[in-house]
Amino acid sequence: MSFVQIIDYKTSRQDDLNQLLDRYVSQSQGRRTVTHSIVGKDRENENHYVDVVEFPSYEEAMKNSHLPETDTMFQEMVALCEGMPTFTNLDVVRDEHINKHMVNRMFDECVMKGNLDLVEEVFAPQYIDHDPMKDGTATGRDVMREDITAWRGAFDFEFTTEAQLAEGDYVTTVWSWAGTHKGEFQGIAPTGRKCTMTGSTTFRCEDGMIAEGWWHMDAMGLMRQLGAM
C-alpha cells in the first residue's frame, strides 16, 4: 500500500528552500525511497506551502526518514520556515488517474470487446492518429472505428497491458498482442497462423477525451509471421 506524507509550512525563503531540496536529492541519490514529490503554493497566502511526498509504503518512508541526509535536510528546512512544519501521514486507500482510467476503458471495451459506441465518448472529434502502418497522419474518430473493426475482423486476439505510465496529459501503455489470423489483413488472405507482437501507445488527453495517439509496434515482424515478407 502506498504511503503519502503531507508537509505544511510557511516560509518567505522559498528559493533557498528549493536549493536545499535540490542538494538533498543529489546527496541522497541511491538511498532515498521517495517515488513522487509535489510542492504546492497557497493562492491565498503567498508564504504558505504544502509538500506532498509519496513512498511505496510506510516502511519505505521510515527508511527514508532514518537517512542522515534526511535529518540534516529537515533541520535546515526548519531554519528556513516560519514556525515548525506540520506533518500528516496517510495510507493510500484509493488511487485513480482519470486519464489512465479512460485509456484502459478504450483498450478493454473498444479494442477487446468491440464496443464502438464508446469511441464517441473517449475520442475527441478531431482526434489525430499517428500509426506506422498508415501513410501519414489520420484525423477524426472514424479512424479508430475503422482500425478496431479491421483488426477485430482480421484476428482473434488477446491484448495485454504490460506497463503503463501517466504524466500530465499523456498516458503511455506498453502492451503485448497475440492473435490468430482469421480474415483478410493488409491484402493478405486468412492464413490461420498464430502471431505475436509487442508495442506501445502514447495518448495525449485533452478536456476529458483522447485527442492524439502515437502507435509504435513491430509491424514488420507481424508481416513476416503472416508470410508477407
Side-chain angles (χ1 to χ4, degrees):
M1 178 185 295
S2 296
F3 175 80
V4 172
Q5 190 169 68
I6 299 176
I7 309 169
D8 193 300
Y9 59 94
K10 291 183 179 180
T11 183
S12 58
R13 302 176 62 183
Q14 185 61 25
D15 289 343
D16 292 335
L17 192 53
N18 280 334
Q19 292 177 17
L20 169 63
L21 293 175
D22 288 341
R23 287 200 307 274
Y24 168 66
V25 169
S26 175
Q27 293 169 358
S28 61
Q29 190 69 37
R31 296 179 301 282
R32 190 179 67 258
T33 60
V34 176
T35 56
H36 192 196
S37 177
I38 298 174
V39 178
K41 181 178 180 180
D42 190 339
R43 282 179 170 267
E44 308 301 325
N45 184 342
E46 64 178 3
N47 290 337
H48 181 206
Y49 293 85
V50 175
D51 293 3
V52 181
V53 187
E54 183 178 7
F55 300 87
S57 66
Y58 172 78
E59 290 74 20
E60 291 299 315
M62 291 303 98
K63 289 180 184 178
N64 196 80
S65 69
H66 293 147
L67 293 174
E69 294 89 351
T70 301
D71 183 63
T72 301
M73 183 273 295
F74 178 69
Q75 298 302 325
E76 293 184 30
M77 176 183 178
V78 171
L80 295 172
C81 291
E82 301 164 8
M84 181 65 70
T86 62
F87 293 80
T88 302
N89 298 320
L90 303 172
D91 288 324
V92 177
V93 296
R94 182 166 177 169
D95 182 7
E96 286 187 337
H97 193 294
I98 302 304
N99 288 339
K100 281 178 64 174
H101 177 69
M102 176 172 59
V103 168
N104 287 333
R105 280 190 70 201
M106 190 285 298
F107 282 127
D108 293 341
E109 298 184 34
C110 293
V111 175
M112 287 302 301
K113 297 178 182 177
N115 179 8
L116 297 183
D117 291 338
L118 190 63
V119 170
E120 194 84 12
E121 180 180 337
V122 300
F123 286 96
Q126 296 303 313
Y127 166 74
I128 303 169
D129 193 66
H130 308 272
D131 188 333
M133 298 192 75
K134 302 190 184 96
D135 293 328
T137 298
T139 304
R141 288 175 174 142
D142 284 343
V143 173
M144 292 307 303
R145 288 194 184 92
E146 292 167 2
D147 282 356
I148 292 169
T149 299
W151 281 91
R152 288 180 58 81
F155 298 93
D156 284 328
F157 63 82
E158 291 291 331
F159 184 97
T160 304
T161 296
E162 303 294 348
Q164 196 169 58
L165 175 67
E167 183 172 350
D169 295 330
Y170 293 84
V171 178
T172 296
T173 305
V174 179
W175 47 261
S176 59
W177 176 97
T180 302
H181 187 204
K182 67 173 184 178
E184 183 177 329
F185 179 74
Q186 300 284 312
I188 304 171
T191 62
R193 294 184 179 184
K194 295 185 182 300
C195 309
T196 60
M197 182 170 59
T198 57
S200 66
T201 304
T202 297
F203 284 126
R204 178 177 63 83
C205 302
E206 184 178 292
D207 298 330
M209 306 186 90
I210 299 173
E212 193 167 7
W214 292 263
W215 299 82
H216 303 278
M217 65 192 77
D218 185 12
M220 292 183 66
L222 176 61
M223 299 306 280
R224 281 195 295 269
Q225 292 175 71
L226 295 177
M229 298 180 64

